[in-house]
Structure formats: structure tokens, C-alpha cells
Amino acid sequence: MSLHDPAARPLTDAEADARAQELIHEAYRPAPLSFRDPSPTPAYGDTPPVPQPGRPPMSQKATDASALMLTGSVAALSVSGGVSLVLYTLGQVDPVTLAIGAAGPVALVLAAGSLLKSLARAKAASTTTTHHHHYNGPVRQETTNLSSTTKGMVARTNNTFGGR
């Protein structure tokens, strides 16, 4: 052990004070807000995947549906809670009144949804697509259309084939 090794000899009062000030300053220094690991990431390895915080990964369609369901549940809770509070304060909480009060907003939402769906169908029916194909040389084109209609509780399927 050398004399320059701090563990080999005791510190003087001045060194001890300086070391104490350094430790106090280090303890009260704010933590860094971010850290970047400069080591390169391996191209492959045997490290298992680590679960990440937050929502699990899913498709954009599933994420949109999940957000829509959460929004709908909050809206339904607020509407039903408001209806229940109004009916309770009026003293009219019998089953018929409660059913009418609860069915009103649901009927409004269903009617708005049906209107939006019919508008979307009308918009889709009004747009036409035109296909232009330019060929050099002999071309043989075949088109097959299949129309299927199923009706009733016992399925009877009638398939109509159209071709050429």
C-alpha cells in the first residue's frame, strides 16, 4: 500500500473537510433528466424481451377501438349517473320511470349511429371507380362475379355466378 492511497493513511482535518464538502455537494446535485447508453446495441442475442410500461402493443385498429370503448364508457357513466341523480331527487324512482329515463339517451345514440351509417353507405354508393388498363399485344380478360344471398334461420344459400 502506498501513502497516496486514502485507505492506507488517515485523512488530515483539511482533507476530511474537503471530502465531506464534496460528498454533500454530490448528494444534493440534481439527478440527470436523461441518460444515453453509448454502447452499441447487439445485432442479436439471447436476452429475453422485457415488458414495457404502459398499454401492451396492439394494432392501430385495436388501439382506436379501445379508446372508443373507454370514451363510450365514460359518457354512459356520466349520462346514467345524471339521470339517476335527477330521478332520485324528484322522488320518482320507480322501475318504469327509470327505464324511460335510461332508454332515452341510448335511443338517441342509436338513432345518430344509424344516421351516420346510412350517410356513409350513401357516400360509398355515390363514388364510382374507373379503371384504365393499357396493354400492348393480345390480351385475354376474364371476370367472375359471385353474388351470395342467405336468408332465414335455416340458411339456404343461393349463389349466382356471372362471368366473362
Side-chain angles (χ1 to χ4, degrees):
M1 291 200 188
S2 71
L3 292 178
H4 298 293
D5 187 9
R9 62 176 176 81
L11 297 175
T12 65
D13 287 342
E15 290 174 338
D17 286 340
R19 180 68 179 142
Q21 289 297 326
E22 182 182 325
L23 290 174
I24 290 171
H25 179 69
E26 190 176 307
Y28 284 106
R29 186 176 343 157
L33 298 178
S34 66
F35 172 76
R36 181 178 298 271
D37 186 7
S39 62
T41 54
Y44 58 89
D46 57 354
T47 304
V50 177
Q52 300 298 313
R55 288 187 179 182
M58 53 184 140
S59 68
Q60 185 63 43
K61 186 175 180 181
T63 303
D64 293 342
S66 174
L68 184 65
M69 285 186 277
L70 289 173
T71 305
S73 66
V74 169
L77 180 65
S78 62
V79 168
S80 62
V83 168
S84 299
L85 183 63
V86 167
L87 292 176
Y88 182 75
T89 56
L90 292 176
Q92 301 287 332
V93 184
D94 62 353
V96 175
T97 309
L98 187 59
I100 291 171
V106 173
L108 181 65
V109 168
L110 290 176
S114 176
L115 177 67
L116 289 174
K117 191 182 292 184
S118 63
L119 287 175
R121 268 193 245 130
K123 182 181 177 186
S126 67
T127 59
T128 59
T129 57
T130 305
H131 295 280
H132 296 282
H133 301 282
H134 303 281
Y135 300 104
N136 294 325
V139 174
R140 178 180 171 188
Q141 183 174 357
E142 293 183 7
T143 304
T144 303
N145 296 321
L146 172 64
S147 175
S148 177
T149 304
T150 303
K151 295 181 180 177
M153 290 183 66
V154 178
R156 277 181 284 161
T157 304
N158 297 323
N159 290 327
T160 305
F161 291 98
R164 293 199 182 222

